[in-house]
Amino acid sequence: MILPLFFIFCLFSSSHAAVQDFCVGDLKAPQGPAGYSCKDPSKLTVNDFVFSGLGVPGNTSNLIKAAVTPAFAAQFPGVNGLGISSARLDLAPGGVVPFHTHPGGSEILVVVQGRICAGFVSSANTVYFKTLNKGDIMVFPQGLLHFQINAGGSVAIAFVSFSSASPGLQILDYALFGNNLPTELVAATTFLDAAQIKKLKGVLGGTG
Amino acid sequence: MILPLFFIFCLFSSSHAAVQDFCVGDLKAPQGPAGYSCKDPSKLTVNDFVFSGLGVPGNTSNLIKAAVTPAFAAQFPGVNGLGISSARLDLAPGGVVPFHTHPGGSEILVVVQGRICAGFVSSANTVYFKTLNKGDIMVFPQGLLHFQINAGGSVAIAFVSFSSASPGLQILDYALFGNNLPTELVAATTFLDAAQIKKLKGVLGGTG
Amino acid sequence: MILPLFFIFCLFSSSHAAVQDFCVGDLKAPQGPAGYSCKDPSKLTVNDFVFSGLGVPGNTSNLIKAAVTPAFAAQFPGVNGLGISSARLDLAPGGVVPFHTHPGGSEILVVVQGRICAGFVSSANTVYFKTLNKGDIMVFPQGLLHFQINAGGSVAIAFVSFSSASPGLQILDYALFGNNLPTELVAATTFLDAAQIKKLKGVLGGTG
Amino acid sequence: MILPLFFIFCLFSSSHAAVQDFCVGDLKAPQGPAGYSCKDPSKLTVNDFVFSGLGVPGNTSNLIKAAVTPAFAAQFPGVNGLGISSARLDLAPGGVVPFHTHPGGSEILVVVQGRICAGFVSSANTVYFKTLNKGDIMVFPQGLLHFQINAGGSVAIAFVSFSSASPGLQILDYALFGNNLPTELVAATTFLDAAQIKKLKGVLGGTG
Amino acid sequence: MILPLFFIFCLFSSSHAAVQDFCVGDLKAPQGPAGYSCKDPSKLTVNDFVFSGLGVPGNTSNLIKAAVTPAFAAQFPGVNGLGISSARLDLAPGGVVPFHTHPGGSEILVVVQGRICAGFVSSANTVYFKTLNKGDIMVFPQGLLHFQINAGGSVAIAFVSFSSASPGLQILDYALFGNNLPTELVAATTFLDAAQIKKLKGVLGGTG
Amino acid sequence: MILPLFFIFCLFSSSHAAVQDFCVGDLKAPQGPAGYSCKDPSKLTVNDFVFSGLGVPGNTSNLIKAAVTPAFAAQFPGVNGLGISSARLDLAPGGVVPFHTHPGGSEILVVVQGRICAGFVSSANTVYFKTLNKGDIMVFPQGLLHFQINAGGSVAIAFVSFSSASPGLQILDYALFGNNLPTELVAATTFLDAAQIKKLKGVLGGTG
């Protein structure tokens, strides 16, 4: 018998270079508004689609007793262009992920160990917060200020996912106090007292 | 002191009904291509954004020794319009989530217990599969056939997230054998033998 | 002469109800993730596409000596579904629009009177700010914290536009201090001192 | 044998109402920016996904000796929300589809009978036109002015598809001369002579 | 008279390089999630927007007596970035396009010769199929399994269009049997008998 | 005290190169369907986000007594990928921006000086026009023909914004009369008289 389905098979083969099922990011090639350039699909292996970095607890020996380990496109190029990414949250007892936003995506969180009090504030200035138990999930709409706090006496762990391969992360305290924004500008735009601002600039490494 | 920031405060209050930070689905109102109609934001509580259904193991007492528990917009209306959703996978020893696709979104999986062999096939007909350990994540690009198999001797659990609030789920065996598609049509469009088709129709409740 | 182009003319007429050139919002009908339901196109007039509310200065007799007058889909239903909206900024001498974000869209600002110091902070914690003169425009990427301050001795006016019909507006001080979020939660998630928090809660009408 | 795959089968059944594989338009329900509301999926048949209106030649007994028969969401509700639609072009000898645009989508045309001269003009004012033979396809980017002319001595037929379920259709002559836009406004905004405008208003049923 | 409209004309000319009316794909330049890089617009001709490859019948001398000839961005770079593409289907008597999906787009099919039985299966496991006559169109929602079979005694031809410039094509039999996926993995994830799998691997060139 | 928040701070620093808050266009690097490649974020300053070119009146010493000064991505690379851009309109007494479309975006216009009569025509052939006063805004839906005319005795100025960083601009008269499209083709596709066409070709520099 001659080669069956030959025509279609050819179609497959010849279009290999153009497959747009996925676009594993080439972090060294030009980046555009939609993400990184694609690696050559003929050179991909399953390891381009697997990331093991979230299997290791983040280091929570810090002031906030918490760690966020991202698996965004920059760390896990396999998600580039696919509209999804993940991260791991480790919260030691007393640990806090302070107020922050993800400008580029909504977030869904699942608690896999311990208890976490999580909340967000809407544009209408309403606060939504609750203590979540193992297996509970909560969604944080795109761009809104939210936080997570360990609500139990033991280590809490959560995995979060985002509706973007590069959701971004803007931590409020760092945005306000961790850079060179002059104290008087911070005061004028937040109504915080100068002493309070300078105190936190000291803690977070800010100047001005 | 007179009311400070009064004007802006008014802005907040008056625009309450129009806030589009989120659009918690009203499952009884009209549905459109972008999702469900929104519930009245003034009636929402934090429970609209939290879902506890994934905290309970799915029932794996079935042929595939596996269970998929979805938290899509239909089960968890808080994700409506936010471009993200989740599900839980329970795989008893020997358990399998057979070949399936999500027509509407890409998937990211994180193993939280046990070991899982997971894989997908690209449009270019290449197979990517690997055994994942606890904490490993893997991404499955939108619309491609993929599977998950318990690769250890104990129960395996994973949480998955999708780049859509309603990613859909098309399980290959059900699409082929679990409905009234005539055996001869299945045979013509899959090249499977009629006996094989009839056997699986019997198992999966199909007719024709 | 018989009716020319008749067939095509019919096409026009009969498809009237289905025209999707625009979707002027019907604020009383169901709202979905993509925006408001559309008003009947046969009942629209040019006034549905024109908004005069930005021609009047906002009232700056308040603590921030500033006013933001929105023309989002909720105020100007003509922009519903079109991916664009506007607002007017009035800044009396000393006026400030404090740190805020628009979770749903990027912003472009044009100064039409006076001088304005405007800035934003990136996810990478870098500050970008500059004093803008009449005719200058500045862009604020979606979801990032930004501010505007009158940088001259006279009234400053700007018009801003957004890449969304409902970009949202989350003012940092109100999110933190203008609601019932408990002081200790604010303290834990911002590292601000409790006294500072209570002081601003007093100013902004917050409780807890 | 006990019910196989039972859990997953339940998942299927119970989520029936929420299926978002498609959203066949309910032309009588509210319409939003993303399209029509969805018909109840449980009431759909294959006929919701099939349209026979393009099998009949359009009536070309008119001034332009041409007919455009649309299968947009308004005529073929099965495409609602799917980002695609079609139309049929019939061009008698000498037939012309005059300059027009589709504000909402790009177009791809395939000639299935006869020869058609087709062209478009870019924003950069460059003209691209060519005579197409049977089987040739040509793409017209979204929103750009384009035309089709019968380039042979016999009837020409083409099928076109659009990257939107409701691409819209703005025929230049009708926009300028087929309504009540005052002649002097047309003259001022096109530089055409008043006599020319009035002549075409007469032909196309315009007033003013 | 001096050059009229000069300023605007300059605007045209100087912005030539930035025109984003279209982005004809440069198949040798970096590719990103949104498609290929754009060819220099100043070097384009009408031939970049026309494709003649669908005018020739595909070779149906194969097992399935059918041929699919694509005009995706990889074959027809003019559609790159425009959200649309096409293909031609040739079905000899007895010809079948077996079950397949397009992960990246919805499809609309128009029969231009002969009769075709076409169908798809929804996520809810419902089958929709019908015999289409010349001129009938049918839509296949994104990512769902579908097929086409010659339903007459003579050659059938159809043109199809997609809501994506690179919709992808995953043919079920090739995904299951045409690669090196081990037989036992296929058996575990499809419930097919090993003998059946090995038989089809033999036909389709698979190994393992 | 040891470095506080150290882990998170590291996260910031190391992900600097991957920040996708914005993508300031590198006009010399490859361009894709989503816009220009991004400039290296570490080299950006506030001046990449500010554009002063709209502070200067456009030159209205031309036939139309009007000028359009764009701040699209090609002129203002800071808006690249952000879905927004702007332009300035100067209309001397008697000035006209003739009929044109923006194929790639909707427009919102704010009058900042003088009076402007503005209008657009829908796909359904309805005309919407009105005289706008200072401070009035009007929205022009994507892709529809529209115009602006000075409606007062003094200079009028407006700022416009678009729902795209590269909305395009197709001026009707230039598309029809300002290139090498043969007169007979223009006549056939517009029904204008050849003499009228040749007259305007002469004025606008067209040939053929």
Side-chain angles (χ1 to χ4, degrees):
Chain A
M1 180 183 283
I2 56 164
L3 284 182
L5 292 172
F6 186 71
F7 186 85
I8 290 179
F9 190 73
C10 285
L11 167 62
F12 269 44
S13 305
S14 65
S15 70
H16 195 287
V19 166
Q20 279 256 355
D21 291 338
F22 39 70
C23 173
V24 175
D26 178 350
L27 304 191
K28 292 173 184 163
Q31 189 175 4
Y36 294 101
S37 293
C38 314
K39 289 179 71 172
D40 178 349
S42 72
K43 296 184 178 161
L44 299 174
T45 73
V46 67
N47 292 321
D48 286 290
F49 301 100
V50 174
F51 183 72
S52 295
L54 304 192
V56 183
N59 180 0
T60 58
S61 298
N62 54 41
L63 183 65
I64 58 168
K65 299 176 182 166
V68 179
T69 310
F72 298 173
Q75 293 84 30
F76 180 19
V79 297
N80 186 52
L82 295 182
I84 194 145
S85 61
S86 287
R88 172 184 175 136
L89 257 54
D90 290 279
L91 290 159
V96 176
V97 181
F99 262 120
H100 63 284
T101 63
H102 304 286
S106 292
E107 171 183 342
I108 207 164
L109 174 150
V110 57
V111 179
V112 297
Q113 183 180 311
R115 303 180 76 208
I116 294 177
C117 171
F120 71 90
V121 185
S122 75
S123 284
N125 208 26
T126 303
V127 185
Y128 301 92
F129 70 99
K130 187 172 187 177
T131 296
L132 309 173
N133 295 306
K134 185 177 171 181
D136 286 350
I137 63 175
M138 182 169 180
V139 67
F140 305 92
Q142 180 169 352
L144 298 180
L145 281 164
H146 60 289
F147 63 86
Q148 289 100 12
I149 300 180
N150 190 329
S154 59
V155 170
I157 302 174
F159 287 99
V160 295
S161 294
F162 301 91
S163 64
S164 166
S166 294
L169 168 59
Q170 180 162 58
I171 300 181
L172 179 56
D173 268 34
Y174 272 97
L176 296 181
F177 311 119
N179 48 38
N180 61 353
L181 193 59
T183 294
E184 63 178 6
L185 260 183
V186 181
T189 55
T190 62
F191 305 113
L192 294 172
D193 296 333
Q196 174 76 86
I197 295 165
K198 285 182 181 298
K199 178 178 171 186
L200 285 168
K201 274 185 174 284
V203 174
L204 296 168
T207 58
Chain B
M1 180 182 282
I2 56 165
L3 284 184
L5 292 173
F6 186 71
F7 186 85
I8 289 180
F9 190 73
C10 286
L11 167 62
F12 268 44
S13 307
S14 65
S15 70
H16 195 289
V19 166
Q20 279 256 356
D21 290 338
F22 38 71
C23 173
V24 175
D26 178 349
L27 303 192
K28 293 173 183 162
Q31 190 175 4
Y36 294 101
S37 294
C38 315
K39 288 180 69 172
D40 179 349
S42 71
K43 296 185 178 160
L44 299 175
T45 72
V46 67
N47 292 321
D48 286 291
F49 300 101
V50 174
F51 182 72
S52 295
L54 303 193
V56 184
N59 180 1
T60 58
S61 298
N62 52 41
L63 184 64
I64 58 168
K65 299 176 182 167
V68 179
T69 311
F72 297 173
Q75 293 84 30
F76 179 20
V79 297
N80 185 51
L82 295 182
I84 194 145
S85 61
S86 286
R88 171 184 175 134
L89 257 54
D90 291 278
L91 291 158
V96 175
V97 182
F99 262 119
H100 63 285
T101 64
H102 304 286
S106 293
E107 171 182 343
I108 207 164
L109 173 150
V110 57
V111 180
V112 298
Q113 184 180 311
R115 301 180 78 207
I116 294 176
C117 171
F120 71 89
V121 185
S122 74
S123 284
N125 209 26
T126 304
V127 185
Y128 301 93
F129 70 99
K130 188 172 187 176
T131 296
L132 308 173
N133 296 306
K134 185 177 172 183
D136 286 350
I137 63 175
M138 182 168 180
V139 67
F140 306 92
Q142 180 169 353
L144 297 180
L145 281 164
H146 60 288
F147 63 86
Q148 288 101 11
I149 300 180
N150 191 330
S154 59
V155 170
I157 302 174
F159 287 98
V160 294
S161 294
F162 301 92
S163 64
S164 165
S166 294
L169 168 59
Q170 180 161 57
I171 300 181
L172 178 56
D173 268 34
Y174 271 97
L176 296 181
F177 311 119
N179 49 39
N180 60 353
L181 193 59
T183 294
E184 63 178 6
L185 259 183
V186 181
T189 54
T190 63
F191 305 113
L192 295 171
D193 296 333
Q196 174 77 86
I197 296 166
K198 284 183 182 298
K199 178 179 172 186
L200 285 168
K201 274 185 175 283
V203 174
L204 297 168
T207 58
Chain C
M1 180 184 284
I2 55 164
L3 283 184
L5 293 172
F6 185 71
F7 185 86
I8 290 180
F9 190 73
C10 285
L11 166 62
F12 269 43
S13 305
S14 64
S15 71
H16 195 289
V19 166
Q20 278 254 357
D21 291 337
F22 38 72
C23 173
V24 175
D26 178 349
L27 304 192
K28 293 172 184 162
Q31 190 176 2
Y36 295 101
S37 294
C38 314
K39 289 180 69 173
D40 179 347
S42 70
K43 294 184 179 162
L44 299 175
T45 72
V46 67
N47 292 321
D48 286 290
F49 300 100
V50 174
F51 183 71
S52 294
L54 303 192
V56 184
N59 180 1
T60 59
S61 299
N62 53 41
L63 183 64
I64 58 167
K65 297 177 184 165
V68 178
T69 310
F72 297 173
Q75 293 84 29
F76 179 21
V79 297
N80 185 53
L82 295 182
I84 195 145
S85 61
S86 286
R88 173 185 175 136
L89 257 56
D90 290 277
L91 291 159
V96 175
V97 181
F99 261 119
H100 63 284
T101 63
H102 303 286
S106 293
E107 171 182 342
I108 207 164
L109 173 151
V110 57
V111 179
V112 298
Q113 184 180 311
R115 303 179 76 206
I116 293 176
C117 172
F120 70 90
V121 185
S122 75
S123 285
N125 207 26
T126 304
V127 185
Y128 301 92
F129 70 99
K130 189 172 187 177
T131 296
L132 309 173
N133 296 306
K134 185 177 171 181
D136 286 350
I137 63 176
M138 182 168 180
V139 67
F140 306 93
Q142 181 169 352
L144 298 179
L145 281 164
H146 60 289
F147 64 84
Q148 290 100 11
I149 301 180
N150 190 329
S154 60
V155 170
I157 302 173
F159 287 98
V160 295
S161 295
F162 302 92
S163 64
S164 165
S166 294
L169 169 59
Q170 180 162 56
I171 300 181
L172 178 57
D173 269 34
Y174 272 97
L176 297 181
F177 311 119
N179 48 39
N180 60 353
L181 192 60
T183 294
E184 63 179 6
L185 260 183
V186 181
T189 54
T190 63
F191 305 113
L192 294 172
D193 297 333
Q196 174 76 86
I197 294 165
K198 286 184 181 296
K199 178 179 171 185
L200 284 170
K201 275 186 174 282
V203 174
L204 296 168
T207 58
Chain D
M1 179 182 284
I2 55 166
L3 283 184
L5 292 173
F6 186 72
F7 186 85
I8 291 179
F9 189 72
C10 285
L11 166 63
F12 268 42
S13 304
S14 65
S15 71
H16 194 289
V19 166
Q20 278 256 356
D21 292 337
F22 38 71
C23 173
V24 175
D26 178 348
L27 304 192
K28 292 171 184 164
Q31 189 176 5
Y36 295 100
S37 293
C38 314
K39 289 180 69 172
D40 179 347
S42 71
K43 296 185 178 161
L44 298 176
T45 72
V46 67
N47 292 321
D48 286 289
F49 301 100
V50 174
F51 183 72
S52 295
L54 304 193
V56 184
N59 180 0
T60 59
S61 298
N62 52 42
L63 184 63
I64 58 167
K65 298 177 182 166
V68 179
T69 310
F72 297 173
Q75 293 84 31
F76 179 21
V79 297
N80 186 52
L82 295 182
I84 194 146
S85 60
S86 287
R88 173 185 174 135
L89 257 54
D90 290 278
L91 291 159
V96 176
V97 181
F99 262 119
H100 63 285
T101 64
H102 304 287
S106 293
E107 171 183 343
I108 207 164
L109 174 151
V110 56
V111 179
V112 297
Q113 183 180 311
R115 302 180 76 207
I116 293 176
C117 172
F120 71 88
V121 185
S122 74
S123 285
N125 207 27
T126 304
V127 184
Y128 301 92
F129 70 99
K130 187 172 187 177
T131 296
L132 309 173
N133 295 307
K134 185 177 173 182
D136 286 350
I137 63 175
M138 182 169 181
V139 67
F140 306 92
Q142 180 168 353
L144 298 180
L145 281 164
H146 61 288
F147 63 86
Q148 289 99 10
I149 301 180
N150 190 329
S154 59
V155 170
I157 301 174
F159 287 98
V160 295
S161 294
F162 301 91
S163 63
S164 164
S166 294
L169 169 59
Q170 180 162 57
I171 300 180
L172 179 56
D173 268 34
Y174 271 98
L176 297 181
F177 311 119
N179 49 38
N180 61 353
L181 193 60
T183 294
E184 63 178 7
L185 259 182
V186 181
T189 54
T190 62
F191 305 112
L192 295 172
D193 297 333
Q196 174 76 86
I197 295 165
K198 285 183 181 296
K199 178 178 170 184
L200 284 169
K201 275 184 175 282
V203 174
L204 297 168
T207 57
Chain E
M1 179 184 283
I2 55 165
L3 284 183
L5 292 171
F6 185 71
F7 186 85
I8 290 179
F9 190 72
C10 284
L11 165 63
F12 269 44
S13 305
S14 64
S15 70
H16 195 288
V19 165
Q20 278 256 357
D21 291 337
F22 38 72
C23 173
V24 175
D26 178 350
L27 304 191
K28 293 172 184 163
Q31 190 175 3
Y36 295 100
S37 295
C38 314
K39 288 180 70 173
D40 179 347
S42 71
K43 294 184 180 162
L44 299 174
T45 73
V46 67
N47 292 321
D48 286 290
F49 301 100
V50 174
F51 183 72
S52 294
L54 304 192
V56 184
N59 180 0
T60 58
S61 298
N62 52 42
L63 184 64
I64 58 167
K65 298 177 183 166
V68 179
T69 310
F72 297 173
Q75 293 84 29
F76 179 21
V79 298
N80 185 52
L82 295 182
I84 195 145
S85 61
S86 286
R88 172 183 175 138
L89 258 54
D90 291 276
L91 292 158
V96 176
V97 181
F99 262 119
H100 62 285
T101 63
H102 303 286
S106 293
E107 171 182 342
I108 207 165
L109 173 151
V110 56
V111 179
V112 298
Q113 184 180 311
R115 303 180 75 205
I116 294 176
C117 172
F120 70 90
V121 185
S122 75
S123 284
N125 207 25
T126 304
V127 184
Y128 301 93
F129 70 99
K130 188 173 187 177
T131 297
L132 308 173
N133 296 306
K134 186 178 172 182
D136 286 350
I137 64 176
M138 182 168 180
V139 67
F140 306 93
Q142 181 169 352
L144 298 179
L145 281 165
H146 60 289
F147 63 85
Q148 289 100 10
I149 301 180
N150 190 330
S154 59
V155 170
I157 302 173
F159 287 99
V160 295
S161 295
F162 301 92
S163 64
S164 165
S166 294
L169 168 59
Q170 180 162 56
I171 300 180
L172 178 56
D173 269 34
Y174 272 97
L176 297 181
F177 311 119
N179 48 39
N180 60 352
L181 193 60
T183 294
E184 63 179 6
L185 259 183
V186 181
T189 54
T190 63
F191 306 113
L192 295 172
D193 297 333
Q196 174 76 87
I197 294 165
K198 285 183 182 294
K199 177 180 172 186
L200 285 169
K201 275 185 175 282
V203 174
L204 296 168
T207 58
Chain F
M1 178 182 286
I2 55 165
L3 282 185
L5 291 172
F6 185 71
F7 186 85
I8 290 180
F9 189 72
C10 284
L11 166 63
F12 268 42
S13 305
S14 65
S15 70
H16 195 288
V19 166
Q20 278 255 356
D21 292 337
F22 38 72
C23 174
V24 175
D26 178 349
L27 304 192
K28 293 172 184 162
Q31 189 175 3
Y36 294 100
S37 294
C38 314
K39 289 180 70 173
D40 179 348
S42 70
K43 295 185 178 161
L44 299 175
T45 73
V46 67
N47 292 322
D48 286 290
F49 300 101
V50 174
F51 183 72
S52 295
L54 303 192
V56 184
N59 180 0
T60 59
S61 298
N62 52 42
L63 184 64
I64 57 167
K65 299 176 182 168
V68 179
T69 310
F72 298 172
Q75 293 83 31
F76 180 21
V79 297
N80 185 52
L82 295 181
I84 194 146
S85 60
S86 286
R88 172 184 175 137
L89 258 53
D90 291 277
L91 290 159
V96 176
V97 181
F99 262 119
H100 64 284
T101 63
H102 304 287
S106 293
E107 171 183 342
I108 208 164
L109 174 150
V110 56
V111 179
V112 297
Q113 183 181 311
R115 303 180 76 207
I116 294 176
C117 172
F120 71 89
V121 185
S122 74
S123 284
N125 207 26
T126 304
V127 185
Y128 300 93
F129 70 99
K130 187 172 187 177
T131 296
L132 308 172
N133 296 306
K134 186 179 171 181
D136 286 351
I137 62 175
M138 181 168 181
V139 67
F140 306 92
Q142 180 169 353
L144 298 180
L145 281 164
H146 60 288
F147 63 86
Q148 290 99 9
I149 301 180
N150 190 330
S154 59
V155 169
I157 302 173
F159 287 98
V160 295
S161 295
F162 301 91
S163 64
S164 164
S166 294
L169 168 60
Q170 180 162 57
I171 300 180
L172 179 56
D173 268 35
Y174 273 97
L176 296 181
F177 311 120
N179 48 38
N180 61 353
L181 193 59
T183 294
E184 64 178 6
L185 260 182
V186 181
T189 55
T190 62
F191 305 113
L192 295 172
D193 296 333
Q196 175 75 87
I197 295 164
K198 286 182 182 297
K199 179 179 171 185
L200 285 169
K201 275 184 175 282
V203 174
L204 297 168
T207 57

